[in-house]
Amino acid sequence: MTTDIYESPALAMIHTVPGIIPAFNELVGLHLPGWRPFNMLDESLLGNTIREGTLSRQTMRRLATHIWSAVDAGASAVLVTCSSLGPAVDAAVPICPVPLFRIDDGMAIEAIQRGNRIGVLATLATTMNPTTRLIERHARRMGHNVSVIGRLCEGAFDKLRNGDRAAHDAMIREGLASLVGSVDVVVLAQASMANALNEMSKASVPVLTSPELGVLHMSSALNALSRVQESAQVRQRFAGFSAAPNSPP
């Protein structure tokens, strides 16, 4: 007898950089073992944002279309792994019928818990403002006062896009070295930057990346939601039992 591979809930991951897909598949397998991931890639979402210098309404609408396509394909939850698209994810959350996550929420929350002076290192100008605003929003919600200092590794993303990951990673490490002396914690604003930490010694301050923290945050939220739904089902069954007429003696 064959096993139905669709018994597990499906997690759709929407990417704009192809090279990060294997790492995310591995993280989902590690932290969400009961979930079946599938990947959707559209490099033009980020490419158009870079070219236009801002997240346009058209790109936001196109991302919303991808999210609905993921739901139509059977996704029980959706993760968008591109930080530049974060505001578009926020806009889609109220109308999405399944849990929808942006990759950098977990990293932002962890950074606020680590210190008040938070450095943001980015390789794209289009990611700097969304990451900064996200940190400030979570800080207000958590009752923390934070200051955010940004550094842009100009040209690093072009190196990555042209296949020169070594040069990309070296530029990130240089930017990190210029930032660590003035902050309590550093966040790397894009998931594609995480690899740069593999070949460097431990920094003098915590350096946070979004992929694993984002998946852990999503895992915690989905597990909490599952517990709430199970509790509601138990209460509903109990209420139905209590409302049943008494059996005759």
Side-chain angles (χ1 to χ4, degrees):
M1 185 175 70
T2 59
T3 301
D4 185 358
I5 63 172
Y6 298 108
E7 289 179 358
S8 301
L11 170 67
M13 293 187 286
I14 301 174
H15 310 279
T16 59
V17 177
I20 65 176
I21 293 176
F24 273 100
N25 286 337
E26 183 177 343
L27 287 170
V28 172
L30 181 63
H31 298 301
L32 283 165
W35 287 72
R36 172 178 58 87
F38 68 91
N39 297 283
M40 302 170 64
L41 172 66
D42 187 343
E43 296 178 82
S44 72
L45 292 170
L46 180 58
N48 291 351
T49 301
I50 295 170
R51 186 184 67 249
E52 296 165 3
T54 188
L55 180 59
S56 69
R57 289 186 177 275
Q58 183 183 55
T59 298
M60 294 178 71
R61 184 174 68 248
R62 291 182 57 229
L63 177 63
T65 300
H66 284 303
I67 292 169
W68 277 103
S69 179
V71 173
D72 289 343
S76 297
V78 180
L79 171 67
V80 178
T81 65
C82 179
S83 297
S84 290
L85 303 179
V89 180
D90 293 337
V93 165
I95 60 173
C96 185
V98 302
L100 172 62
F101 301 92
R102 55 186 289 179
I103 188 58
D104 43 6
D105 270 321
M107 179 179 68
I109 294 168
E110 179 71 16
I112 295 162
Q113 294 171 338
R114 295 288 191 108
N116 296 325
R117 301 177 303 161
I118 301 173
V120 176
L121 194 66
T123 61
L124 289 171
T126 54
T127 311
M128 185 67 73
N129 286 338
T131 302
T132 299
R133 289 196 297 267
L134 178 68
I135 292 170
E136 291 172 345
R137 189 178 77 212
H138 278 301
R140 288 192 297 270
R141 178 182 60 81
M142 297 165 66
H144 287 245
N145 292 318
V146 301
S147 61
V148 180
I149 302 171
R151 287 282 193 284
L152 180 63
C153 299
E154 191 77 45
F157 189 79
D158 290 333
K159 296 289 186 183
L160 180 65
R161 190 159 49 182
N162 293 330
D164 192 351
R165 176 170 283 280
H168 165 271
D169 291 355
M171 293 175 72
I172 291 171
R173 290 191 289 268
E174 290 173 7
L176 183 59
S178 72
L179 192 57
V180 293
S182 55
V183 297
D184 302 316
V185 58
V186 175
V187 301
L188 303 188
Q190 291 130 249
S192 56
M193 301 171 68
N195 188 74
L197 301 182
N198 292 341
E199 296 184 12
M200 65 173 289
S201 56
K202 187 175 181 180
S204 57
V205 299
V207 181
L208 307 180
T209 61
S210 61
E212 185 158 29
L213 289 172
V215 172
L216 283 169
H217 173 76
M218 179 176 61
S219 173
S220 177
L222 290 174
N223 287 336
L225 179 61
S226 178
R227 289 193 294 270
V228 169
Q229 291 172 338
E230 290 174 0
S231 178
Q233 290 170 357
V234 170
R235 289 196 299 271
Q236 188 176 27
R237 288 196 297 268
F238 182 76
F241 175 79
S242 301
N246 293 327
S247 301

